[in-house]
Amino acid sequence: SNTTTQTDMSQMAASQTFSEATALIGSQVNLQVDANGDTTQGVVSGVDASSGTAQIVVNGQSYSLSQVLSVTPPATTTTQ
């Protein structure tokens, strides 16, 4: 049925968002905190999906992926 398809699509989208969020763990991010243009930055320490939507955790606070302004991947360490 159509509602089943919609549910499947939203679950797929949620899964995609979760994958994107977990891929950011360890990365430095700049985030827009509010409508005034205030920003913060920090390292993504985890993902919080308790609200039903995956959010990244930075400095102990949860943020939506839509608040991410830029991402700096973690420095790759090379072993000699």
Side-chain angles (χ1 to χ4, degrees):
S1 77
N2 197 19
T3 51
T4 305
T5 304
Q6 286 175 335
T7 303
D8 289 347
M9 291 299 284
S10 64
Q11 286 174 341
M12 218 164 67
S15 172
Q16 177 74 27
T17 303
F18 191 80
S19 297
E20 290 173 19
T22 54
L24 292 176
I25 293 174
S27 296
Q28 173 89 24
V29 291
N30 286 324
L31 299 154
Q32 181 162 348
V33 180
D34 57 32
N36 298 330
D38 293 329
T39 61
T40 189
Q41 63 182 6
V43 175
V44 179
S45 61
V47 175
D48 176 13
S50 62
S51 65
T53 306
Q55 295 186 310
I56 56 172
V57 178
V58 179
N59 301 327
Q61 295 285 324
S62 296
Y63 296 95
S64 164
L65 288 177
S66 64
Q67 292 174 272
V68 176
L69 299 172
S70 66
V71 177
T72 305
T76 55
T77 54
T78 55
T79 52
Q80 298 294 320

